[in-house]
């Protein structure tokens, strides 16, 4: 396999030393190109030794020179433009057929940033003329005609071998333990096949896998090429050059020895990513030294990217089909459970349906200590021990393993009946489980050498030498089932959530509902059941239930008016959000201020603000109103000493828990009569929202606890700052008006548009030619302009003179650096060098 050793350059590893002894593998270019490191000021800071072969100068002689003293100015202009388009930390751009030296041969150039250094890599252009886009499009069309995973990978290997010409091309897939398997292969006759072979994780170590995620492609044209050193090896601050993204970098001697042991003289690797993570590789091997052009390698890289996306799409489509089938069965099961009003114990009647949701050989159910088993499972005693183990796992997600005996030692005794399991917790108090089981699947795995001893100590000191034996070594795997796929885990999670939110709502609450059935019958059904949907019915219910028995009309009117006003305030708040969720903090603050006036400051709030859905907002508003009213009349707020602390937080199940605590007021007694206000406090949240309410009349003050289910609660967005101190972080000056950008490269023009808009420009017009620019100026003169000097076959000087005549400020953007000569009549025009930033543009335009 194509491997990077543990000494391969990564950001965390010293790139120029190995075992504290300097080695000259950094920046080696394998004899077919050269590397330049350039500072942001376009001064040569590093160069590989073989630059002399291509440019006729020694590496030492180049250091400190401006780049235009080494390369053609037109080439530098082109490189600056491409550098402007780089996006992201690992961005790489390429230019083909670029003449770096006046009158010289064309080069293919790769360009990227490495820290503060701009890395320019060049190799002579190939004589072939390859249209990578058209070629890859044809290759991908053939891939799309395949059906199934194996044919897709086989065709991809065949296409990659046709593109690269390597003797062997493998599709190499990583397992969860980072070992690898050859799942497809295209190989010339006379070579032993590697298809189906497995390789231990140590063959491609962690550092190498991390690099493959950053850099799609790497080539080793000749394992015996001595390479060349980058000069100097470190910058003035003592930092080495990170060449992780380099096209021409060499690798460690350990990996080169590994390839020689395999009989490989040249290799090419192309990453295969899935969801941004390394899924596998196209591993290409050749028995003789082989170099292919940068343009052809770019085609291979593009094909690898297209294959990655196609593979991801195929897996997603297959997963979606399985999820749809599982969802249909899932919904039928839920319909049966809901229509039957079942409890958790009766879930055992649906084991046949449950076993169809996930592929399994057996299923077990543990509810309140009762065991139900079906199919191939452990015994009841073994299952009870397994449940005790599961009680130590997380209660908030499904738990899966394909080897029970590895995590639960007694599980080794029943591997032939149940080797793997997927356990779904279906309650918290007590812990109950629905467990899917899979039988043992004994299988033979063929390794490329003994995986138990993948390496031995050798002449590299404390480093491991690569293994030399790649003879097939067969291992029979016991005690494991088929693994649980990502789709099956998502299906299990959906089932867990449904059981918790639907079935448990019918079952775990059944006991409570039976105990409080009579109380629920007494609840204010006629008065409060349509509070949110029908405000008139709500008001009529409040008035009816608020009428006192002694006929005190004045007190009655005041009480009813206060309650209706509390509802009005609540509805005002949710109306302001267009019937969206309202702020709990605002609700309590507004109620305290409206009812208590100057006493409102004695209500102390504590908790990150949350939003309540409209159907819960009115209910909570009435409860808060009644609590405030009672506190002001009889509790902590009825004198000048007491206070109320209102604190809220989310619990482990994401319920909103609101705690009310009064202190410092007069001694409290429980009410002797249960009026409508008490009914609202104690019963409206449980009835309307299926939450909880608890009120305790402690001698020192009333304490209450209210629980709101997560379905009615949202996180509040960050509060807007009351002052605007952040304004000081903004630029001291902003652009205004329209800006004309004259630039023949569309990507650079779009980049300039983004920067100018971010600086405050009202509009940005773009022109790619002098003629178009002059037309735009005549139609609507801009407030200012940014002109690229070189527009391909013409310059923007004519546009500059037109702007000068009109008195419109402008600036030149150039890739020529300080070497560009401005005509004398335009000598005062600001000059912005590419690649430019927002600050550069701001400085270029006068206030």
């Amino acid at each position: 396999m194509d491997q990077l050793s543990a000494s391969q350059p990564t950001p965390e590893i010293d790139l120029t030393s190995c075992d504290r002894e300097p080695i000259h593998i950094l920046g080696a270019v394998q004899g077919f190109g050269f590397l330049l490191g350039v500072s942001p000021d376009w001064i040569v800071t590093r160069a590989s030794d073989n630059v002399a072969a291509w440019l006729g100068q020694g590496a030492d002689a180049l250091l400190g020179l401006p780049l235009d003293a080494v390369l053609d100015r037109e080439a530098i202009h082109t490189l600056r433009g491409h550098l402007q388009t780089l996006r992201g930390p690992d961005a790489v751009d390429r230019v083909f057929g670029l003449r770096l030296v006046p009158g010289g041969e064309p080069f293919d150039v790769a360009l990227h940033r490495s820290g503060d250094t701009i890395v320019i890599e060049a190799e002579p252009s190939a004589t072939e003329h390859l249209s990578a886009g058209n070629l890859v499009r044809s290759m991908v069309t053939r891939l799309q005609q395949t059906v199934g995973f194996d044919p897709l990978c086989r065709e991809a290997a065949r296409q990659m071998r046709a593109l690269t010409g390597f003797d062997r091309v493998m599709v190499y897939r990583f397992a969860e333990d980072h070992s690898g398997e050859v799942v497809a292969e295209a190989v010339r006759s006379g070579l032993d096949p590697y298809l189906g072979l497995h390789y231990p994780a140590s063959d491609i170590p962690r550092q190498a896998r991390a690099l493959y995620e950053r850099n799609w492609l790497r080539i080793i044209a000749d394992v015996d090429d001595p390479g060349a050193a980058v000069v100097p090896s470190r910058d003035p601050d003592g930092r080495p050059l990170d060449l992780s993204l380099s096209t021409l970098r060499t690798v460690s001697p350990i990996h080169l020895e590994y390839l020689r042991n395999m009989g490989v003289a040249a290799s090419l690797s192309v990453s295969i990513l899935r969801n941004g993570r390394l899924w596998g590789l196209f591993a290409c091997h050749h028995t003789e030294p082989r170099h292919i052009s940068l343009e052809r390698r770019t085609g291979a890289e593009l094909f690898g990217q297209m294959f990655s996306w196609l593979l991801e799409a195929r897996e997603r489509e297959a997963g979606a089909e399985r999820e749809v089938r599982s969802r249909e069965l899932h919904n039928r099961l839920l319909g049966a459970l809901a229509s039957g009003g079942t409890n958790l114990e009766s879930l055992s009647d649906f084991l046949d349906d449950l076993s169809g949701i996930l592929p399994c050989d057996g299923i077990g159910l543990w509810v309140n200590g009762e065991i139900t088993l079906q199919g191939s499972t452990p015994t009841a005693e073994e299952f009870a021990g397994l449940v005790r183990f599961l009680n130590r796992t997380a209660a908030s997600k499904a738990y899966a393993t394909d080897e029970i005996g590895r995590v639960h030692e007694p599980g080794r005794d029943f591997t032939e009946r149940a080797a793997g399991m997927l356990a779904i917790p279906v309650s918290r108090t007590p812990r109950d489980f629905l467990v899917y089981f899979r039988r043992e699947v004994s299988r033979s795995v063929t390794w490329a050498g003994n995986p138990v001893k993948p390496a031995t100590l050798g002449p590299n000191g404390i480093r491991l030498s690569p293994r030399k034996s790649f003879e097939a070594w067969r291992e029979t795997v016991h005690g494991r089932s088929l693994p649980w796929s990502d789709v099956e885990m998502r299906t299990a999670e959906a089932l867990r959530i449904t059981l918790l939110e639907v079935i448990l709502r019918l079952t775990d609450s059944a006991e409570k509902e039976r105990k409080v059935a009579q109380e629920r019958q007494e609840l204010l059904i006629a008065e409060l059941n349509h509070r949110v949907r029908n405000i008139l019915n709500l008001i009529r219910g409040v008035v009816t239930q608020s009428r006192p028995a002694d006929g005190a009309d004045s007190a009655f009117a005041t009480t009813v008016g206060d309650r209706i006003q509390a509802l009005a305030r609540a509805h005002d708040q949710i109306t302001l959000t267009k019937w969206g969720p309202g702020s709990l903090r605002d609700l309590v603050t507004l109620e305290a201020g409206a009812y208590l006036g100057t006493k409102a400051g004695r209500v102390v709030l504590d908790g990150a603000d949350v939003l309540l859905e409209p159907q819960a907002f009115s209910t909570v508003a009435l409860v808060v109103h009644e609590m405030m009213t009672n506190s002001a009349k009889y509790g902590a707020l009825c004198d000048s000493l007491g206070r109320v602390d209102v604190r809220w937080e989310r619990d482990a199940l994401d319920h909103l828990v609101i705690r009310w605590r009064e202190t410092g007021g007069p001694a409290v007694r429980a009410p002797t009569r249960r009026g409508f206000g008490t009914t609202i406090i104690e019963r409206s949240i449980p009835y309307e929202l299926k939450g909880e309410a608890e009120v305790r009349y402690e001698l020192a003050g009333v304490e209450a606890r209210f629980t709101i289910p997560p379905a009615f609660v949202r996180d509040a967005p960050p509060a807007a700052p009351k002052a605007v101190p952040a304004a000081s972080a903004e630029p001291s000056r902003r652009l205004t008006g329209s800006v004309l950008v004259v630039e023949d490269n569309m990507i650079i023009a779009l980049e300039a548009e983004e920067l100018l808009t971010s600086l405050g420009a009202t509009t940005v017009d773009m022109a790619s030619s002098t003629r178009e620019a002059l037309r735009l100026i005549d139609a609507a003169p801009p407030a200012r302009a940014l002109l690229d000097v070189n527009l391909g076959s013409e310059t923007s000087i004519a546009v500059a003179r037109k702007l000068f005549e009109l008195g419109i400020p402008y600036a030149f953007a150039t890739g020529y650096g300080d070497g560009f000569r401005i005509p004398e009549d335009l000598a005062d025009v600001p000059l912005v060098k590419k690649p430019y930033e927002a600050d550069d543009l701001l400085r270029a335009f006068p206030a």
Side-chain angles (χ1 to χ4, degrees):
M1 289 296 91
D2 187 11
Q3 170 206 17
L4 297 178
S5 77
S7 64
Q8 187 58 38
T10 64
E12 295 79 23
I13 295 176
D14 187 346
L15 307 181
T16 58
S17 64
C18 179
D19 293 339
R20 300 183 183 277
E21 293 297 328
I23 56 175
H24 295 290
I25 64 169
L26 177 67
V29 290
Q30 307 178 55
F32 58 84
F34 67 85
L35 176 147
L36 284 175
V38 180
S39 73
D41 296 326
W42 297 85
I43 301 298
V44 178
T45 58
R46 303 172 189 265
S48 60
D49 285 343
N50 62 350
V51 170
W54 304 107
L55 299 178
Q57 301 188 57
D60 292 337
L62 297 176
L63 300 183
L65 291 179
L67 192 60
D68 58 8
V70 180
L71 303 183
D72 182 67
R73 291 200 316 161
E74 289 292 336
I76 298 173
H77 175 73
T78 300
L79 293 176
R80 285 179 181 271
H82 280 266
L83 190 65
Q84 182 73 45
T85 65
L86 292 180
R87 292 289 186 93
D90 293 337
V92 178
D93 202 0
R94 291 166 186 159
V95 188
F96 300 102
L98 184 65
R99 297 186 186 277
L100 297 176
V101 179
E105 296 298 322
F107 282 79
D108 293 336
V109 178
L111 188 71
H112 71 274
R113 292 181 182 272
S114 178
D116 296 332
T117 302
I118 301 166
V119 178
I120 303 170
E121 302 173 276
E123 54 188 271
S125 292
T127 56
E128 62 180 354
H129 296 286
L130 180 71
S131 176
N134 289 334
L135 180 61
V136 172
R137 181 177 60 184
S138 175
M139 296 168 67
V140 171
T141 299
R142 292 182 174 87
L143 290 183
Q144 291 174 329
Q145 295 172 354
T146 62
V147 178
F149 173 78
D150 291 336
L152 175 69
C153 293
R154 284 197 301 269
E155 182 62 23
R158 194 174 72 88
Q159 295 287 330
M160 183 65 82
R161 182 166 182 256
L163 174 63
T164 62
F166 275 71
D167 290 336
R168 184 196 308 274
V169 173
M170 296 165 283
V171 177
Y172 183 80
R173 177 176 62 187
F174 291 103
E176 289 187 3
D177 61 359
H178 304 304
S179 64
E181 177 187 4
V182 179
V183 297
E185 181 182 45
V187 60
R188 73 165 172 83
S189 60
L191 295 180
D192 294 333
Y194 287 173
L195 183 63
L197 289 183
H198 290 247
Y199 292 78
S202 57
D203 276 18
I204 303 181
R206 178 183 59 82
Q207 297 96 328
R209 292 192 298 271
L211 275 179
Y212 280 127
E213 289 185 356
R214 297 181 58 198
N215 195 348
W216 283 83
L217 182 142
R218 62 183 304 279
I219 185 172
I220 301 175
D222 185 355
V223 299
D224 294 322
D225 187 276
V230 171
V231 179
S233 61
R234 294 177 180 269
D235 65 15
D237 295 327
R239 294 174 302 184
L241 180 63
D242 181 359
L243 289 177
S244 298
L245 300 179
S246 171
T247 300
L248 302 176
R249 64 185 172 86
T250 190
V251 296
S252 73
I254 295 175
H255 177 51
L256 296 177
E257 182 183 349
Y258 177 93
L259 292 177
R260 294 189 193 100
N261 292 344
M262 293 186 73
V264 175
S267 74
L268 174 73
S269 301
V270 182
S271 301
I272 303 172
L273 302 184
R274 182 176 180 273
N275 295 325
R277 302 305 301 271
L278 188 64
W279 179 92
L281 299 169
F282 283 104
C284 309
H285 288 173
H286 209 66
T287 56
E288 298 176 354
R290 177 169 179 76
H291 171 251
I292 60 177
S293 67
L294 179 61
E295 192 167 5
R296 188 168 289 272
R297 299 201 305 272
T298 300
E301 180 184 58
L302 179 59
F303 179 71
Q305 293 173 343
M306 297 302 295
F307 175 77
S308 297
W309 294 328
L310 183 58
L311 177 66
E312 187 173 330
R314 290 278 183 94
E315 290 184 348
R316 189 162 49 244
E317 290 171 2
E321 291 177 1
R322 290 193 295 268
E323 286 183 336
V324 167
R325 292 195 297 270
S326 296
R327 177 57 58 185
E328 290 174 351
L329 182 59
H330 190 235
N331 291 339
R332 291 200 303 271
L333 171 64
L334 292 181
L337 288 170
S339 62
T342 184
N343 55 31
L344 192 56
E345 286 80 359
S346 63
L347 192 62
S348 59
D349 298 334
F350 296 90
L351 287 185
D352 287 335
D353 293 317
L354 286 168
S355 62
I357 292 179
L358 292 169
C360 65
D361 299 308
I363 192 168
L365 183 66
W366 172 283
V367 177
N368 293 328
E370 297 294 327
I371 296 175
T372 305
L373 300 171
Q374 180 176 298
S376 180
T377 67
T379 65
E381 182 179 356
E382 291 167 340
F383 187 59
L386 193 59
V387 168
R388 288 193 292 272
F389 161 76
L390 291 173
N391 275 316
R392 299 194 297 271
T393 64
S396 58
K397 62 181 180 179
Y399 177 85
T401 178
D402 61 355
E403 190 177 1
I404 297 175
R406 180 174 55 85
V407 296
H408 177 59
E409 185 66 28
R412 301 186 185 278
D413 297 333
F414 52 82
T415 54
E416 71 284 354
R417 287 173 282 125
M421 69 172 174
L422 195 164
I424 303 174
V426 294
S427 69
R428 288 178 177 269
T429 53
R431 292 287 294 277
D432 298 315
F433 292 94
L434 175 66
V435 185
Y436 290 87
F437 292 103
R438 284 179 177 171
R439 293 193 188 99
E440 176 188 48
V441 178
S442 296
R443 57 194 177 98
S444 296
V445 177
T446 302
W447 296 87
N450 188 342
V452 179
K453 296 182 178 180
T456 57
L457 287 172
N460 295 303
I462 62 171
R463 294 187 177 276
L464 294 176
S465 292
R467 56 194 174 88
K468 299 180 179 180
S469 174
F470 293 90
E471 296 180 359
W473 190 88
R474 189 173 299 277
E475 175 189 33
T476 302
V477 178
H478 292 286
R480 301 180 70 171
S481 71
L482 290 175
W484 303 93
S485 68
D486 292 341
V487 173
E488 290 166 344
M489 291 301 298
R490 289 196 297 270
T491 302
E493 183 63 15
L495 178 58
R496 182 189 73 85
I497 293 173
T498 302
L499 290 174
L500 286 174
E501 293 185 357
V502 179
I503 301 174
L504 295 184
R505 183 163 52 86
L506 297 172
T507 55
D508 283 352
S509 62
E511 288 297 326
K512 295 180 181 179
E513 288 185 359
R514 283 194 290 269
K515 293 178 182 178
V516 299
Q518 186 61 37
E519 294 180 356
R520 286 189 173 183
Q521 293 298 322
E522 296 173 358
L523 201 59
L524 312 172
I525 297 175
E527 293 77 15
L528 298 178
N529 61 350
H530 297 298
R531 181 174 302 140
V532 174
R533 299 181 181 178
N534 192 329
I535 190 64
L536 294 178
N537 281 352
L538 171 62
I539 294 175
R540 185 167 54 250
V542 171
V543 172
T544 301
Q545 293 300 322
S546 298
R547 182 178 295 114
D550 58 6
D553 293 337
S554 177
F556 167 74
T558 300
T559 301
V560 173
D562 288 345
R563 287 168 179 162
I564 294 175
Q565 187 61 31
L567 281 174
R569 285 192 294 270
H571 282 280
D572 282 344
Q573 286 182 259
I574 57 179
T575 301
L576 288 175
T577 60
K578 298 182 180 179
W579 205 252
S583 163
L584 173 62
R585 179 177 291 274
D586 290 348
L587 185 156
V588 180
T589 301
L590 188 61
E591 187 63 33
Y595 191 84
L596 303 175
T598 57
K599 298 180 182 179
R602 291 158 60 193
V603 178
V604 181
L605 309 184
D606 180 18
D609 196 15
V610 295
L611 303 181
L612 300 178
E613 296 290 352
Q615 57 266 47
F617 200 86
S618 297
T619 300
V620 176
L622 271 182
V623 171
V624 172
H625 170 75
E626 294 300 329
M627 293 295 293
M628 288 285 185
T629 301
N630 291 344
S631 181
K633 289 182 177 179
Y634 317 111
L637 300 177
C638 71
D639 57 21
S640 59
L641 301 176
R643 62 178 276 178
V644 175
D645 288 277
V646 183
R647 181 167 59 89
W648 59 86
E649 61 186 352
R650 301 284 191 98
D651 66 8
L653 290 176
D654 214 26
H655 289 74
L656 177 66
V657 180
I658 304 173
R659 291 182 170 84
W660 177 289
R661 184 169 180 264
E662 299 183 18
T663 55
V668 173
R669 295 181 181 179
T672 58
R673 184 180 65 85
R674 300 180 65 83
F676 181 58
T678 302
T679 302
I680 288 176
I681 293 171
E682 295 181 352
R683 298 187 181 181
S684 57
I685 288 178
Y687 184 82
E688 295 283 346
L689 308 180
K690 303 300 182 288
E692 298 176 1
E694 178 187 359
V695 181
R696 298 188 304 277
Y697 297 95
E698 305 290 347
L699 187 63
V702 173
E703 295 183 6
R705 181 180 184 273
F706 306 100
T707 302
I708 313 297
F712 301 106
V713 184
R714 294 188 193 178
D715 291 331
K722 296 181 180 179
V724 198
S728 60
E730 295 292 327
S732 58
R733 183 172 60 84
R734 304 280 290 173
L735 299 181
T736 58
S738 62
V739 181
L740 173 63
V741 174
V742 183
E743 169 65 63
D744 62 335
N745 185 296
M746 183 187 69
I747 302 299
I748 299 176
L750 292 173
E751 174 78 5
E753 180 187 29
E754 290 183 21
L755 293 176
L756 291 166
T757 301
S758 69
L759 292 173
T762 307
T763 58
V764 177
D765 293 321
M766 293 181 287
S768 60
S769 66
T770 299
R771 180 179 179 182
E772 177 67 11
L774 294 174
R775 186 187 68 82
L776 292 175
I777 294 171
D778 291 338
R784 52 186 54 84
L786 178 66
L787 312 180
D788 183 16
V789 173
N790 190 329
L791 299 177
S793 60
E794 58 181 347
T795 69
S796 59
I797 298 300
V799 180
R801 290 199 166 99
K802 178 68 172 180
L803 294 169
F804 180 77
E805 292 174 3
L806 297 176
I808 298 174
Y810 64 94
F812 282 125
T814 176
Y816 293 112
D818 296 328
F820 173 66
R821 292 188 177 182
I822 301 176
E824 292 183 3
D825 58 330
L826 305 176
D828 295 333
V829 177
L831 190 67
V832 179
K833 292 185 290 184
K834 297 179 181 178
Y836 45 76
E837 303 290 345
D839 291 342
D840 300 327
L841 297 179
L842 201 59
R843 285 191 294 268
F845 293 118

